[in-house]
Amino acid sequence: MEPKRIREGYLVKKGSVFNTWKPMWVVLLEDGIEFYKKKSDNSPKGMIPLKGSTLTSPCQDFGKRMFVFKITTTKQQDHLFQAAFLEERDAWVRDIKKAIKCIEGGQKFARKSTRRSIRLPETIDLGALYLSMKDTEKGIKELNLEKDKKVFNHCFTGNCVIDWLVSNNSVRNRQEGLVIASSLLNEGYLQPAGDLSKSAVDGTAENPFLDNADAFYYFPDSGFFCEDNSSDDDVILKEEFRGVIIKQGCLLKQGHRRKNWKVRKFILREDPAYLHYYDPAGGEDPLGAIHLRGCVVTSVESNTDGRRSEEENLFEIITADEVHYFLQAATPKERTEWIKAIQVASRTGK
């Protein structure tokens, strides 16, 4: 009897021989993790046994890479994976940890019923706290703040974070709030914006997080940008990046020239409505952008040349300029979710 598939999807994996990062189709089983060069491959490129393995998340070994986690086997071999966004990483980490625990206890992996009330853990759950902080009604309010002739959009101050933690009874006092805020910062749930908060993170201040009205921070997927005429790393002047991120993840995209298929990380923004795609293995700048205003998106059985007619979950975006983009999701559900999200953005965005 084959092991049960618990979770599968695209992750970026660091090579064990060369220090290259490449997207892989990753499958979490009850007893291990298989990774494939392509989703359609019959045989995995490698397998990681989970028995006796340990998991580290977040993994801070690579400063410029966010949402990385590490699995260390009993033979002390490290396997590093990078998710496309925070919630995706946390979902993988949660299931892998549970699979390891089930192996140790000789139990079968089974998801708990969501009907029962969830008992809060003894320690603070930073992932859950982060989601509460982002709540549009009860969370931290994102503002446009000005300092040193720069306008920081979609951000908030350090003292606002501590105020929120205290007022929501997440911490007992401001000193305890600093400890929690520093942990959120270290794990990538918060990002520094501006010289003051960046210098604290770099170690020039006593605490990496500052309870200060002049220290600015932002959520990593908030659509943050800074406006001025300087060469600051935060500056993003293009209008297309100013929309709020409403969906992100990895999809297969067909190239326009060679018609070959490659895994790309997609970020969908609305108002203005753009779908940017990136190399999932690295690089902050997008490889391209699809303006969605007035576009048509629909599911298809095969593309124009029919080269992937045997594959499912294809969909097509036709822009207002009549440029055709063929994309492939991993599952029918994922395809439906992307189509619906793009349709909403195309109607409401600029």
Side-chain angles (χ1 to χ4, degrees), residues 11-45:
L11 293 173
V12 178
K13 185 181 184 300
K14 181 178 178 294
S16 55
V17 179
F18 302 102
N19 292 326
T20 54
W21 294 76
K22 293 183 178 180
M24 295 282 180
W25 181 257
V26 183
V27 178
L28 171 61
L29 306 172
E30 290 179 302
D31 59 351
I33 294 177
E34 294 178 342
F35 50 95
Y36 299 76
K37 189 175 180 180
K38 295 185 295 183
K39 180 178 182 286
S40 57
D41 289 350
N42 294 322
S43 300
K45 190 175 182 181

PDB file of all heavy atoms in Angstrom, residues 11-45:
ATOM      1  N   LEU A  11       7.647  24.126  -4.646  1.00  0.00           N
ATOM      2  CA  LEU A  11       8.546  24.815  -3.729  1.00  0.00           C
ATOM      3  C   LEU A  11       9.882  24.990  -4.435  1.00  0.00           C
ATOM      4  O   LEU A  11      10.202  24.244  -5.369  1.00  0.00           O
ATOM      5  CB  LEU A  11       8.755  24.008  -2.436  1.00  0.00           C
ATOM      6  CG  LEU A  11       7.553  23.836  -1.490  1.00  0.00           C
ATOM      7  CD1 LEU A  11       7.915  22.866  -0.368  1.00  0.00           C
ATOM      8  CD2 LEU A  11       7.131  25.174  -0.909  1.00  0.00           C
ATOM      9  N   VAL A  12      10.659  25.953  -4.005  1.00  0.00           N
ATOM     10  CA  VAL A  12      12.004  26.128  -4.543  1.00  0.00           C
ATOM     11  C   VAL A  12      12.971  25.396  -3.615  1.00  0.00           C
ATOM     12  O   VAL A  12      12.949  25.592  -2.399  1.00  0.00           O
ATOM     13  CB  VAL A  12      12.376  27.616  -4.643  1.00  0.00           C
ATOM     14  CG1 VAL A  12      13.803  27.782  -5.161  1.00  0.00           C
ATOM     15  CG2 VAL A  12      11.402  28.337  -5.572  1.00  0.00           C
ATOM     16  N   LYS A  13      13.803  24.522  -4.173  1.00  0.00           N
ATOM     17  CA  LYS A  13      14.727  23.713  -3.370  1.00  0.00           C
ATOM     18  C   LYS A  13      16.170  24.050  -3.692  1.00  0.00           C
ATOM     19  O   LYS A  13      16.528  24.241  -4.856  1.00  0.00           O
ATOM     20  CB  LYS A  13      14.494  22.221  -3.620  1.00  0.00           C
ATOM     21  CG  LYS A  13      15.332  21.303  -2.732  1.00  0.00           C
ATOM     22  CD  LYS A  13      15.082  19.848  -3.037  1.00  0.00           C
ATOM     23  CE  LYS A  13      15.855  18.968  -2.051  1.00  0.00           C
ATOM     24  NZ  LYS A  13      17.313  19.189  -2.120  1.00  0.00           N
ATOM     25  N   LYS A  14      16.980  24.111  -2.655  1.00  0.00           N
ATOM     26  CA  LYS A  14      18.414  24.346  -2.836  1.00  0.00           C
ATOM     27  C   LYS A  14      19.100  23.042  -3.207  1.00  0.00           C
ATOM     28  O   LYS A  14      18.871  21.992  -2.592  1.00  0.00           O
ATOM     29  CB  LYS A  14      19.037  24.910  -1.562  1.00  0.00           C
ATOM     30  CG  LYS A  14      20.533  25.211  -1.664  1.00  0.00           C
ATOM     31  CD  LYS A  14      21.038  25.802  -0.359  1.00  0.00           C
ATOM     32  CE  LYS A  14      22.536  26.053  -0.434  1.00  0.00           C
ATOM     33  NZ  LYS A  14      23.308  24.804  -0.541  1.00  0.00           N
ATOM     34  N   GLY A  15      19.937  23.086  -4.229  1.00  0.00           N
ATOM     35  CA  GLY A  15      20.657  21.896  -4.662  1.00  0.00           C
ATOM     36  C   GLY A  15      21.605  21.386  -3.593  1.00  0.00           C
ATOM     37  O   GLY A  15      22.202  22.168  -2.848  1.00  0.00           O
ATOM     38  N   SER A  16      21.775  20.066  -3.507  1.00  0.00           N
ATOM     39  CA  SER A  16      22.651  19.468  -2.504  1.00  0.00           C
ATOM     40  C   SER A  16      24.116  19.512  -2.919  1.00  0.00           C
ATOM     41  O   SER A  16      25.014  19.485  -2.081  1.00  0.00           O
ATOM     42  CB  SER A  16      22.237  18.012  -2.241  1.00  0.00           C
ATOM     43  OG  SER A  16      22.221  17.280  -3.461  1.00  0.00           O
ATOM     44  N   VAL A  17      24.383  19.588  -4.228  1.00  0.00           N
ATOM     45  CA  VAL A  17      25.767  19.637  -4.728  1.00  0.00           C
ATOM     46  C   VAL A  17      26.151  21.071  -5.074  1.00  0.00           C
ATOM     47  O   VAL A  17      27.151  21.603  -4.589  1.00  0.00           O
ATOM     48  CB  VAL A  17      25.945  18.719  -5.951  1.00  0.00           C
ATOM     49  CG1 VAL A  17      27.381  18.805  -6.473  1.00  0.00           C
ATOM     50  CG2 VAL A  17      25.591  17.276  -5.591  1.00  0.00           C
ATOM     51  N   PHE A  18      25.345  21.703  -5.918  1.00  0.00           N
ATOM     52  CA  PHE A  18      25.586  23.097  -6.291  1.00  0.00           C
ATOM     53  C   PHE A  18      24.640  24.000  -5.500  1.00  0.00           C
ATOM     54  O   PHE A  18      23.564  23.598  -5.102  1.00  0.00           O
ATOM     55  CB  PHE A  18      25.362  23.294  -7.794  1.00  0.00           C
ATOM     56  CG  PHE A  18      26.232  22.414  -8.652  1.00  0.00           C
ATOM     57  CD1 PHE A  18      25.704  21.280  -9.240  1.00  0.00           C
ATOM     58  CD2 PHE A  18      27.571  22.704  -8.837  1.00  0.00           C
ATOM     59  CE1 PHE A  18      26.487  20.457 -10.031  1.00  0.00           C
ATOM     60  CE2 PHE A  18      28.375  21.889  -9.618  1.00  0.00           C
ATOM     61  CZ  PHE A  18      27.833  20.755 -10.220  1.00  0.00           C
ATOM     62  N   ASN A  19      25.077  25.219  -5.258  1.00  0.00           N
ATOM     63  CA  ASN A  19      24.278  26.167  -4.470  1.00  0.00           C
ATOM     64  C   ASN A  19      23.229  26.871  -5.324  1.00  0.00           C
ATOM     65  O   ASN A  19      23.028  28.072  -5.207  1.00  0.00           O
ATOM     66  CB  ASN A  19      25.193  27.205  -3.805  1.00  0.00           C
ATOM     67  CG  ASN A  19      26.054  26.591  -2.731  1.00  0.00           C
ATOM     68  OD1 ASN A  19      25.633  25.662  -2.047  1.00  0.00           O
ATOM     69  ND2 ASN A  19      27.266  27.098  -2.577  1.00  0.00           N
ATOM     70  N   THR A  20      22.561  26.108  -6.169  1.00  0.00           N
ATOM     71  CA  THR A  20      21.519  26.677  -7.019  1.00  0.00           C
ATOM     72  C   THR A  20      20.150  26.358  -6.434  1.00  0.00           C
ATOM     73  O   THR A  20      19.940  25.311  -5.828  1.00  0.00           O
ATOM     74  CB  THR A  20      21.602  26.106  -8.446  1.00  0.00           C
ATOM     75  OG1 THR A  20      21.573  24.672  -8.372  1.00  0.00           O
ATOM     76  CG2 THR A  20      22.890  26.552  -9.115  1.00  0.00           C
ATOM     77  N   TRP A  21      19.225  27.283  -6.629  1.00  0.00           N
ATOM     78  CA  TRP A  21      17.848  27.105  -6.165  1.00  0.00           C
ATOM     79  C   TRP A  21      16.961  26.898  -7.380  1.00  0.00           C
ATOM     80  O   TRP A  21      16.975  27.699  -8.309  1.00  0.00           O
ATOM     81  CB  TRP A  21      17.386  28.325  -5.380  1.00  0.00           C
ATOM     82  CG  TRP A  21      18.111  28.539  -4.082  1.00  0.00           C
ATOM     83  CD1 TRP A  21      19.373  29.024  -3.912  1.00  0.00           C
ATOM     84  CD2 TRP A  21      17.604  28.276  -2.769  1.00  0.00           C
ATOM     85  NE1 TRP A  21      19.689  29.075  -2.580  1.00  0.00           N
ATOM     86  CE2 TRP A  21      18.623  28.629  -1.851  1.00  0.00           C
ATOM     87  CE3 TRP A  21      16.391  27.792  -2.278  1.00  0.00           C
ATOM     88  CZ2 TRP A  21      18.471  28.512  -0.485  1.00  0.00           C
ATOM     89  CZ3 TRP A  21      16.228  27.668  -0.908  1.00  0.00           C
ATOM     90  CH2 TRP A  21      17.254  28.027  -0.022  1.00  0.00           C
ATOM     91  N   LYS A  22      16.190  25.809  -7.376  1.00  0.00           N
ATOM     92  CA  LYS A  22      15.331  25.505  -8.516  1.00  0.00           C
ATOM     93  C   LYS A  22      13.941  25.092  -8.042  1.00  0.00           C
ATOM     94  O   LYS A  22      13.808  24.431  -7.014  1.00  0.00           O
ATOM     95  CB  LYS A  22      15.942  24.384  -9.362  1.00  0.00           C
ATOM     96  CG  LYS A  22      17.238  24.768 -10.065  1.00  0.00           C
ATOM     97  CD  LYS A  22      17.742  23.636 -10.947  1.00  0.00           C
ATOM     98  CE  LYS A  22      19.014  24.042 -11.693  1.00  0.00           C
ATOM     99  NZ  LYS A  22      19.513  22.946 -12.566  1.00  0.00           N
ATOM    100  N   PRO A  23      12.907  25.486  -8.792  1.00  0.00           N
ATOM    101  CA  PRO A  23      11.551  25.052  -8.423  1.00  0.00           C
ATOM    102  C   PRO A  23      11.381  23.560  -8.626  1.00  0.00           C
ATOM    103  O   PRO A  23      11.836  23.001  -9.624  1.00  0.00           O
ATOM    104  CB  PRO A  23      10.655  25.861  -9.368  1.00  0.00           C
ATOM    105  CG  PRO A  23      11.537  26.228 -10.514  1.00  0.00           C
ATOM    106  CD  PRO A  23      12.921  26.367  -9.970  1.00  0.00           C
ATOM    107  N   MET A  24      10.744  22.912  -7.684  1.00  0.00           N
ATOM    108  CA  MET A  24      10.484  21.477  -7.732  1.00  0.00           C
ATOM    109  C   MET A  24       9.024  21.217  -7.373  1.00  0.00           C
ATOM    110  O   MET A  24       8.418  21.983  -6.631  1.00  0.00           O
ATOM    111  CB  MET A  24      11.381  20.730  -6.734  1.00  0.00           C
ATOM    112  CG  MET A  24      12.867  20.798  -7.034  1.00  0.00           C
ATOM    113  SD  MET A  24      13.310  19.655  -8.346  1.00  0.00           S
ATOM    114  CE  MET A  24      15.084  19.956  -8.449  1.00  0.00           C
ATOM    115  N   TRP A  25       8.495  20.114  -7.899  1.00  0.00           N
ATOM    116  CA  TRP A  25       7.183  19.652  -7.464  1.00  0.00           C
ATOM    117  C   TRP A  25       7.417  18.761  -6.250  1.00  0.00           C
ATOM    118  O   TRP A  25       8.069  17.730  -6.345  1.00  0.00           O
ATOM    119  CB  TRP A  25       6.472  18.893  -8.575  1.00  0.00           C
ATOM    120  CG  TRP A  25       5.112  18.418  -8.171  1.00  0.00           C
ATOM    121  CD1 TRP A  25       4.756  17.153  -7.817  1.00  0.00           C
ATOM    122  CD2 TRP A  25       3.931  19.221  -8.053  1.00  0.00           C
ATOM    123  NE1 TRP A  25       3.423  17.103  -7.493  1.00  0.00           N
ATOM    124  CE2 TRP A  25       2.879  18.352  -7.634  1.00  0.00           C
ATOM    125  CE3 TRP A  25       3.641  20.564  -8.262  1.00  0.00           C
ATOM    126  CZ2 TRP A  25       1.582  18.802  -7.419  1.00  0.00           C
ATOM    127  CZ3 TRP A  25       2.345  21.012  -8.051  1.00  0.00           C
ATOM    128  CH2 TRP A  25       1.337  20.143  -7.635  1.00  0.00           C
ATOM    129  N   VAL A  26       6.915  19.168  -5.110  1.00  0.00           N
ATOM    130  CA  VAL A  26       7.224  18.502  -3.846  1.00  0.00           C
ATOM    131  C   VAL A  26       5.976  17.798  -3.315  1.00  0.00           C
ATOM    132  O   VAL A  26       4.886  18.375  -3.322  1.00  0.00           O
ATOM    133  CB  VAL A  26       7.743  19.517  -2.797  1.00  0.00           C
ATOM    134  CG1 VAL A  26       8.139  18.805  -1.498  1.00  0.00           C
ATOM    135  CG2 VAL A  26       8.947  20.284  -3.354  1.00  0.00           C
ATOM    136  N   VAL A  27       6.161  16.561  -2.878  1.00  0.00           N
ATOM    137  CA  VAL A  27       5.055  15.752  -2.362  1.00  0.00           C
ATOM    138  C   VAL A  27       5.406  15.289  -0.946  1.00  0.00           C
ATOM    139  O   VAL A  27       6.434  14.633  -0.733  1.00  0.00           O
ATOM    140  CB  VAL A  27       4.780  14.525  -3.254  1.00  0.00           C
ATOM    141  CG1 VAL A  27       3.647  13.678  -2.667  1.00  0.00           C
ATOM    142  CG2 VAL A  27       4.448  14.955  -4.676  1.00  0.00           C
ATOM    143  N   LEU A  28       4.577  15.658   0.008  1.00  0.00           N
ATOM    144  CA  LEU A  28       4.747  15.216   1.394  1.00  0.00           C
ATOM    145  C   LEU A  28       3.947  13.944   1.613  1.00  0.00           C
ATOM    146  O   LEU A  28       2.719  13.934   1.471  1.00  0.00           O
ATOM    147  CB  LEU A  28       4.285  16.313   2.362  1.00  0.00           C
ATOM    148  CG  LEU A  28       4.206  15.920   3.848  1.00  0.00           C
ATOM    149  CD1 LEU A  28       5.576  15.496   4.388  1.00  0.00           C
ATOM    150  CD2 LEU A  28       3.645  17.074   4.682  1.00  0.00           C
ATOM    151  N   LEU A  29       4.643  12.856   1.963  1.00  0.00           N
ATOM    152  CA  LEU A  29       4.020  11.580   2.272  1.00  0.00           C
ATOM    153  C   LEU A  29       4.046  11.367   3.779  1.00  0.00           C
ATOM    154  O   LEU A  29       4.640  12.142   4.522  1.00  0.00           O
ATOM    155  CB  LEU A  29       4.762  10.445   1.553  1.00  0.00           C
ATOM    156  CG  LEU A  29       4.932  10.597   0.034  1.00  0.00           C
ATOM    157  CD1 LEU A  29       5.853   9.513  -0.501  1.00  0.00           C
ATOM    158  CD2 LEU A  29       3.582  10.551  -0.658  1.00  0.00           C
ATOM    159  N   GLU A  30       3.441  10.294   4.218  1.00  0.00           N
ATOM    160  CA  GLU A  30       3.408  10.012   5.651  1.00  0.00           C
ATOM    161  C   GLU A  30       4.792   9.706   6.202  1.00  0.00           C
ATOM    162  O   GLU A  30       5.066   9.967   7.376  1.00  0.00           O
ATOM    163  CB  GLU A  30       2.478   8.823   5.933  1.00  0.00           C
ATOM    164  CG  GLU A  30       1.010   9.142   5.716  1.00  0.00           C
ATOM    165  CD  GLU A  30       0.130   7.951   5.974  1.00  0.00           C
ATOM    166  OE1 GLU A  30       0.319   6.911   5.312  1.00  0.00           O
ATOM    167  OE2 GLU A  30      -0.752   8.047   6.862  1.00  0.00           O
ATOM    168  N   ASP A  31       5.679   9.172   5.368  1.00  0.00           N
ATOM    169  CA  ASP A  31       6.996   8.769   5.855  1.00  0.00           C
ATOM    170  C   ASP A  31       8.161   9.522   5.228  1.00  0.00           C
ATOM    171  O   ASP A  31       9.327   9.261   5.539  1.00  0.00           O
ATOM    172  CB  ASP A  31       7.207   7.265   5.615  1.00  0.00           C
ATOM    173  CG  ASP A  31       7.095   6.899   4.132  1.00  0.00           C
ATOM    174  OD1 ASP A  31       6.696   7.774   3.329  1.00  0.00           O
ATOM    175  OD2 ASP A  31       7.414   5.751   3.777  1.00  0.00           O
ATOM    176  N   GLY A  32       7.886  10.450   4.330  1.00  0.00           N
ATOM    177  CA  GLY A  32       8.983  11.165   3.687  1.00  0.00           C
ATOM    178  C   GLY A  32       8.505  12.236   2.730  1.00  0.00           C
ATOM    179  O   GLY A  32       7.297  12.469   2.563  1.00  0.00           O
ATOM    180  N   ILE A  33       9.457  12.874   2.085  1.00  0.00           N
ATOM    181  CA  ILE A  33       9.172  13.923   1.108  1.00  0.00           C
ATOM    182  C   ILE A  33       9.831  13.547  -0.209  1.00  0.00           C
ATOM    183  O   ILE A  33      11.036  13.284  -0.261  1.00  0.00           O
ATOM    184  CB  ILE A  33       9.699  15.292   1.585  1.00  0.00           C
ATOM    185  CG1 ILE A  33       8.931  15.755   2.827  1.00  0.00           C
ATOM    186  CG2 ILE A  33       9.590  16.334   0.475  1.00  0.00           C
ATOM    187  CD1 ILE A  33       9.441  17.053   3.407  1.00  0.00           C
ATOM    188  N   GLU A  34       9.043  13.511  -1.265  1.00  0.00           N
ATOM    189  CA  GLU A  34       9.565  13.276  -2.606  1.00  0.00           C
ATOM    190  C   GLU A  34       9.569  14.596  -3.368  1.00  0.00           C
ATOM    191  O   GLU A  34       8.669  15.411  -3.190  1.00  0.00           O
ATOM    192  CB  GLU A  34       8.701  12.264  -3.360  1.00  0.00           C
ATOM    193  CG  GLU A  34       8.735  10.868  -2.771  1.00  0.00           C
ATOM    194  CD  GLU A  34       7.839   9.896  -3.513  1.00  0.00           C
ATOM    195  OE1 GLU A  34       6.939  10.368  -4.259  1.00  0.00           O
ATOM    196  OE2 GLU A  34       8.030   8.675  -3.355  1.00  0.00           O
ATOM    197  N   PHE A  35      10.592  14.797  -4.193  1.00  0.00           N
ATOM    198  CA  PHE A  35      10.611  16.001  -5.022  1.00  0.00           C
ATOM    199  C   PHE A  35      10.925  15.623  -6.466  1.00  0.00           C
ATOM    200  O   PHE A  35      11.758  14.768  -6.743  1.00  0.00           O
ATOM    201  CB  PHE A  35      11.583  17.057  -4.493  1.00  0.00           C
ATOM    202  CG  PHE A  35      12.965  16.570  -4.188  1.00  0.00           C
ATOM    203  CD1 PHE A  35      13.996  16.673  -5.126  1.00  0.00           C
ATOM    204  CD2 PHE A  35      13.263  16.007  -2.949  1.00  0.00           C
ATOM    205  CE1 PHE A  35      15.279  16.234  -4.834  1.00  0.00           C
ATOM    206  CE2 PHE A  35      14.550  15.569  -2.650  1.00  0.00           C
ATOM    207  CZ  PHE A  35      15.556  15.676  -3.595  1.00  0.00           C
ATOM    208  N   TYR A  36      10.178  16.250  -7.375  1.00  0.00           N
ATOM    209  CA  TYR A  36      10.239  15.946  -8.798  1.00  0.00           C
ATOM    210  C   TYR A  36      10.672  17.190  -9.581  1.00  0.00           C
ATOM    211  O   TYR A  36      10.350  18.309  -9.192  1.00  0.00           O
ATOM    212  CB  TYR A  36       8.865  15.508  -9.308  1.00  0.00           C
ATOM    213  CG  TYR A  36       8.301  14.273  -8.656  1.00  0.00           C
ATOM    214  CD1 TYR A  36       7.761  14.326  -7.364  1.00  0.00           C
ATOM    215  CD2 TYR A  36       8.284  13.056  -9.327  1.00  0.00           C
ATOM    216  CE1 TYR A  36       7.230  13.194  -6.766  1.00  0.00           C
ATOM    217  CE2 TYR A  36       7.746  11.912  -8.732  1.00  0.00           C
ATOM    218  CZ  TYR A  36       7.224  11.994  -7.447  1.00  0.00           C
ATOM    219  OH  TYR A  36       6.694  10.875  -6.847  1.00  0.00           O
ATOM    220  N   LYS A  37      11.363  16.962 -10.690  1.00  0.00           N
ATOM    221  CA  LYS A  37      11.759  18.076 -11.545  1.00  0.00           C
ATOM    222  C   LYS A  37      10.526  18.715 -12.172  1.00  0.00           C
ATOM    223  O   LYS A  37      10.441  19.931 -12.305  1.00  0.00           O
ATOM    224  CB  LYS A  37      12.721  17.591 -12.627  1.00  0.00           C
ATOM    225  CG  LYS A  37      13.352  18.718 -13.430  1.00  0.00           C
ATOM    226  CD  LYS A  37      14.391  18.183 -14.406  1.00  0.00           C
ATOM    227  CE  LYS A  37      15.023  19.322 -15.207  1.00  0.00           C
ATOM    228  NZ  LYS A  37      16.031  18.798 -16.167  1.00  0.00           N
ATOM    229  N   LYS A  38       9.550  17.867 -12.553  1.00  0.00           N
ATOM    230  CA  LYS A  38       8.287  18.334 -13.119  1.00  0.00           C
ATOM    231  C   LYS A  38       7.138  17.578 -12.470  1.00  0.00           C
ATOM    232  O   LYS A  38       7.302  16.426 -12.055  1.00  0.00           O
ATOM    233  CB  LYS A  38       8.255  18.130 -14.644  1.00  0.00           C
ATOM    234  CG  LYS A  38       9.262  18.950 -15.420  1.00  0.00           C
ATOM    235  CD  LYS A  38       9.079  18.785 -16.919  1.00  0.00           C
ATOM    236  CE  LYS A  38       9.360  17.362 -17.356  1.00  0.00           C
ATOM    237  NZ  LYS A  38       9.249  17.210 -18.835  1.00  0.00           N
ATOM    238  N   LYS A  39       5.991  18.198 -12.419  1.00  0.00           N
ATOM    239  CA  LYS A  39       4.823  17.558 -11.822  1.00  0.00           C
ATOM    240  C   LYS A  39       4.444  16.291 -12.581  1.00  0.00           C
ATOM    241  O   LYS A  39       3.952  15.317 -12.000  1.00  0.00           O
ATOM    242  CB  LYS A  39       3.644  18.540 -11.804  1.00  0.00           C
ATOM    243  CG  LYS A  39       2.363  17.983 -11.199  1.00  0.00           C
ATOM    244  CD  LYS A  39       1.278  19.048 -11.183  1.00  0.00           C
ATOM    245  CE  LYS A  39      -0.001  18.515 -10.536  1.00  0.00           C
ATOM    246  NZ  LYS A  39      -0.705  17.575 -11.422  1.00  0.00           N
ATOM    247  N   SER A  40       4.681  16.274 -13.895  1.00  0.00           N
ATOM    248  CA  SER A  40       4.278  15.141 -14.727  1.00  0.00           C
ATOM    249  C   SER A  40       5.256  13.968 -14.680  1.00  0.00           C
ATOM    250  O   SER A  40       4.967  12.905 -15.233  1.00  0.00           O
ATOM    251  CB  SER A  40       4.116  15.615 -16.174  1.00  0.00           C
ATOM    252  OG  SER A  40       5.319  16.210 -16.646  1.00  0.00           O
ATOM    253  N   ASP A  41       6.410  14.137 -14.025  1.00  0.00           N
ATOM    254  CA  ASP A  41       7.398  13.050 -13.950  1.00  0.00           C
ATOM    255  C   ASP A  41       6.852  11.871 -13.148  1.00  0.00           C
ATOM    256  O   ASP A  41       6.165  12.049 -12.140  1.00  0.00           O
ATOM    257  CB  ASP A  41       8.697  13.533 -13.310  1.00  0.00           C
ATOM    258  CG  ASP A  41       9.475  14.467 -14.219  1.00  0.00           C
ATOM    259  OD1 ASP A  41       9.102  14.575 -15.398  1.00  0.00           O
ATOM    260  OD2 ASP A  41      10.443  15.091 -13.747  1.00  0.00           O
ATOM    261  N   ASN A  42       7.188  10.661 -13.593  1.00  0.00           N
ATOM    262  CA  ASN A  42       6.743   9.457 -12.902  1.00  0.00           C
ATOM    263  C   ASN A  42       7.650   9.086 -11.738  1.00  0.00           C
ATOM    264  O   ASN A  42       7.200   8.503 -10.749  1.00  0.00           O
ATOM    265  CB  ASN A  42       6.665   8.287 -13.885  1.00  0.00           C
ATOM    266  CG  ASN A  42       5.589   8.485 -14.947  1.00  0.00           C
ATOM    267  OD1 ASN A  42       4.521   9.005 -14.651  1.00  0.00           O
ATOM    268  ND2 ASN A  42       5.891   8.097 -16.178  1.00  0.00           N
ATOM    269  N   SER A  43       8.927   9.410 -11.851  1.00  0.00           N
ATOM    270  CA  SER A  43       9.882   9.041 -10.811  1.00  0.00           C
ATOM    271  C   SER A  43      10.454  10.299 -10.145  1.00  0.00           C
ATOM    272  O   SER A  43      10.792  11.269 -10.841  1.00  0.00           O
ATOM    273  CB  SER A  43      11.042   8.223 -11.396  1.00  0.00           C
ATOM    274  OG  SER A  43      10.543   7.041 -11.997  1.00  0.00           O
ATOM    275  N   PRO A  44      10.541  10.291  -8.810  1.00  0.00           N
ATOM    276  CA  PRO A  44      11.081  11.474  -8.118  1.00  0.00           C
ATOM    277  C   PRO A  44      12.574  11.633  -8.338  1.00  0.00           C
ATOM    278  O   PRO A  44      13.293  10.659  -8.561  1.00  0.00           O
ATOM    279  CB  PRO A  44      10.766  11.182  -6.647  1.00  0.00           C
ATOM    280  CG  PRO A  44      10.711   9.693  -6.558  1.00  0.00           C
ATOM    281  CD  PRO A  44      10.148   9.230  -7.873  1.00  0.00           C
ATOM    282  N   LYS A  45      13.028  12.870  -8.272  1.00  0.00           N
ATOM    283  CA  LYS A  45      14.460  13.141  -8.379  1.00  0.00           C
ATOM    284  C   LYS A  45      15.171  12.787  -7.081  1.00  0.00           C
ATOM    285  O   LYS A  45      16.372  12.505  -7.073  1.00  0.00           O
ATOM    286  CB  LYS A  45      14.674  14.626  -8.705  1.00  0.00           C
ATOM    287  CG  LYS A  45      16.110  14.966  -9.065  1.00  0.00           C
ATOM    288  CD  LYS A  45      16.231  16.414  -9.502  1.00  0.00           C
ATOM    289  CE  LYS A  45      17.669  16.733  -9.898  1.00  0.00           C
ATOM    290  NZ  LYS A  45      17.831  18.142 -10.314  1.00  0.00           N
TER     291      LYS A  45
END
